[in-house]
Amino acid sequence: MTFSALGLSDEIVRAVTERGYTEPTPIQAQAIPVVLSGGDLLAGAQTGTGKTAGFTLPILQRLTASAKPVTGKAPIRALVLIPTRELAAQVEESVRDYGKYLKLTSMTMIGGVNINPQIQRLKSRVDILVATPGRLLDHLQQKTLDLSHIEILVLDEADRMLDMGFIRDIKKILAILPRQRQNLLFSATFSDEIKNLADGLLNKPAMIEVARRNATAELITQKIYPVDRERKRELLTHLIKEHNWHQVLVFTRTKHGANKLAEQLNKDDIPALAIHGNKSQAARTRALAEFKTGKLQVLVATDIAARGIDIIELPHVVNFEMPNVSEDYVHRIGRTGRAGSEGEASSLVCIDEHKLLHDIERLTKREIPVVQVPGFEPDPRIKAEPILNGQNRGQGGGRKQQGQGQGQGRGGQGQARTRAAPRTGSGPSRTNAATGKPAARAPASHRSGGYGR
Ligand code: AMP
């Protein structure tokens, strides 16, 4: 299968070939013909599957094919709604890149930056608008945006959009769009809420589902490193230095935890920066750019801030703290081993997180190999403690309360969605031989005491 065989124009094929794509990914092979035909689409696909090109390429083609000569200012014809700023910026960058041999223009519309340059930009031609819902509504309120000529609407990462509390914003936006239009909805998961949204939005949609990443994670080597909560930073530094990891994306549960860890790593002579919703957009963009070019060895991120980070062949993802929501584990490790390259996802797990680990293994239907680093064996006398507001006591730096919102969502985003149940009893630590390699699994009866399995 080639991109030309899917009916894409020479200009588009040239742009994707230059980007290094030799053949369409499964989501692209299925979605492109549907979108080109003008029909609605409901697609189950996660980040990492190539879904962005799956909708962008045929949209570029359709807008080019049906371009009408316009007098005066051309209207905005396609709207792509995206939950987070980073992802919006990346999608728009892809639109520009894939469309570089076409005459179409695009714009990113996100919060966290001054609105005035966006108002200025809207005075010139924009064919494709890539926006986060909050800022888009700000523009509508200020009457600086006209969406009355939208022909194609994309809701990307719809499940995440709902998780972040954007449903009311989305409904407001849908209400002002022209009725006659093509709708494309992408979501990694299909809750009843998503099904309701799809029912109200889509007209006889084609349905496509590509394998979830948690079913196709063979390219990602996953490992669990047991460690006491107070020694995680020490172990992380050890792993980075010992294995000479040069580009590591590290996840923490909270903004405060991210800041603190980045500071500590810097003290250990490991260049690190934190990105999260409290940082300015400029600081986040700069950190991401430095990380991408390899200047910055470690990027510490919270889940929302890291959504959509697209770094080709990112070799290492580390869960410094396990996520409260199991699906976030899949999203996190999906940052590595992308589009055919191999990656390693390491989780530093302390006794408080056994229940979270258990939930993740249930979701992904696989047991993650355990590696015990010599000298970091958990102390069996340490008891599990509840994880309150995302923070383990040991990593909280004495702050009891820490907001979890990432500053991008509107309503609903700030709350922890689940709270880890404390595990009682310290249980014996894993008995793996300290080989530094993934240990052979102990029989289930042995495991149950140690890792919440
Ligand atoms: P996405 O799921 O859209 O975030 O894309 C994930 C990654 O796959 C991005 O780094 C894309 O540049 C890359 N990608 C998309 N399509 C292809 C393709 N056909 N061949 C190789 N890489 C691709």
Side-chain angles (χ1 to χ4, degrees):
M1 173 65 75
T2 62
F3 283 102
S4 318
L6 290 173
L8 295 169
S9 69
D10 291 348
E11 290 83 0
I12 294 176
V13 174
R14 201 163 124 211
V16 295
T17 307
E18 283 177 16
R19 180 111 174 214
Y21 305 171
T22 46
E23 58 176 344
T25 64
I27 184 79
Q28 290 161 4
Q30 295 177 70
I32 290 171
V34 172
V35 182
L36 284 178
S37 75
D40 281 7
L41 173 67
L42 178 60
Q46 288 180 292
T47 308
T49 52
K51 68 182 165 64
T52 311
F55 62 79
T56 304
L57 304 182
I59 288 177
L60 287 167
Q61 169 113 349
R62 272 175 63 72
L63 295 184
T64 309
S66 64
K68 300 170 203 107
V70 274
T71 46
K73 191 175 120 26
I76 301 171
R77 299 171 63 200
L79 171 63
V80 183
L81 284 179
I82 305 265
T84 67
R85 298 166 190 167
E86 274 80 13
L87 185 58
Q90 281 179 28
V91 167
E92 199 265 334
E93 201 181 307
S94 295
V95 170
R96 255 183 293 140
D97 195 24
Y98 300 142
K100 66 181 173 187
Y101 297 115
L102 304 172
K103 292 210 172 67
L104 299 168
T105 57
S106 55
M107 168 181 176
T108 311
M109 183 179 277
I110 54 178
V113 293
N114 190 334
I115 198 166
N116 292 324
Q118 295 177 354
I119 294 174
Q120 261 329 96
R121 173 70 187 88
L122 284 167
K123 289 181 180 155
S124 53
R125 179 177 180 141
V126 176
D127 296 287
I128 302 169
L129 178 63
V130 184
T132 49
R135 179 53 65 88
L136 185 134
L137 282 177
D138 292 342
H139 278 279
L140 287 174
Q141 237 159 25
Q142 296 195 24
K143 304 206 183 330
T144 47
L145 178 63
D146 176 10
L147 296 178
S148 63
H149 290 84
I150 293 294
E151 298 164 36
I152 308 174
L153 168 74
V154 181
L155 282 189
D156 193 18
E157 310 225 335
D159 50 348
R160 187 49 64 137
M161 213 115 60
L162 299 190
D163 279 354
M164 289 173 67
F166 281 135
I167 186 68
R168 287 181 57 205
D169 289 357
I170 291 170
K171 288 196 168 149
K172 277 190 213 158
I173 295 165
L174 294 180
I176 57 132
L177 296 180
R179 276 166 180 263
Q180 186 69 30
R181 56 167 204 267
Q182 182 177 20
N183 299 292
L184 316 175
L185 188 151
F186 288 78
S187 185
T189 53
F190 288 99
S191 61
D192 288 346
E193 227 185 337
I194 290 283
K195 284 185 200 130
N196 285 341
L197 179 67
D199 282 348
L201 178 72
L202 305 173
N203 179 23
K204 300 198 194 83
M207 284 189 246
I208 296 176
E209 179 138 29
V210 296
R212 287 177 57 88
R213 268 211 92 87
N214 50 0
T216 59
E218 283 74 26
L219 283 167
I220 305 171
T221 308
Q222 302 175 54
K223 289 178 188 167
I224 287 163
Y225 291 95
V227 62
D228 287 333
R229 75 174 83 81
E230 310 279 355
R231 298 192 68 200
K232 283 191 173 188
R233 200 265 310 143
E234 204 186 324
L235 174 59
L236 179 60
T237 296
H238 170 84
L239 290 171
I240 291 173
K241 291 192 170 169
E242 176 89 4
H243 301 291
N244 203 10
W245 290 348
H246 58 277
Q247 199 183 31
V248 196
L249 178 61
V250 179
F251 285 93
T252 60
R253 276 190 295 263
T254 66
K255 294 179 262 196
H256 174 64
N259 283 338
K260 192 166 169 225
L261 180 60
E263 268 169 39
Q264 290 171 328
L265 289 172
N266 284 322
K267 284 192 191 131
D268 291 341
D269 290 327
I270 297 173
L273 278 176
I275 57 166
H276 51 66
N278 281 4
K279 297 262 175 177
S280 72
Q281 191 58 38
R284 286 153 70 170
T285 309
R286 196 175 54 240
L288 195 56
E290 286 189 11
F291 185 58
K292 278 188 177 187
T293 57
K295 228 165 96 186
L296 184 66
Q297 193 172 1
V298 177
L299 188 66
V300 188
T302 53
D303 287 288
I304 303 289
R307 278 295 288 188
I309 288 182
D310 176 19
I311 299 150
I312 297 169
E313 297 175 14
L314 181 59
H316 297 285
V317 167
V318 174
N319 294 304
F320 187 78
E321 292 161 329
M322 298 306 266
N324 284 330
V325 179
S326 302
E327 282 80 4
D328 283 343
Y329 177 83
V330 179
H331 288 302
R332 286 178 176 192
I333 73 167
R335 308 295 100 198
T336 181
R338 310 187 68 189
S341 61
E342 286 183 29
E344 195 169 61
S346 309
S347 300
L348 312 192
V349 179
C350 73
I351 188 148
D352 310 336
E353 297 169 312
H354 290 180
K355 164 83 169 60
L356 299 179
L357 176 60
H358 175 72
D359 292 347
I360 288 164
E361 292 192 323
R362 228 179 27 195
L363 174 80
T364 57
K365 299 193 179 65
R366 62 156 68 194
E367 286 183 3
I368 308 168
V370 176
V371 178
Q372 182 61 65
V373 179
F376 287 91
E377 292 83 358
D379 179 347
R381 291 166 303 182
I382 295 176
K383 302 257 185 291
E385 296 200 357
I387 299 168
L388 295 175
N389 290 323
Q391 280 190 297
N392 291 68
R393 191 183 53 99
Q395 283 125 37
R399 280 178 59 172
K400 286 250 159 53
Q401 290 296 321
Q402 173 71 27
Q404 295 216 325
Q406 305 294 321
Q408 293 173 9
R410 299 193 146 200
Q413 192 206 344
Q415 295 87 39
R417 280 165 279 168
T418 60
R419 180 165 294 179
R423 268 186 71 80
T424 48
S426 56
S429 62
R430 289 275 300 149
T431 50
N432 319 53
T435 56
K437 294 200 175 84
R441 307 218 63 95
S445 57
H446 289 194
R447 265 187 243 125
S448 57
Y451 277 85
R453 287 158 168 152

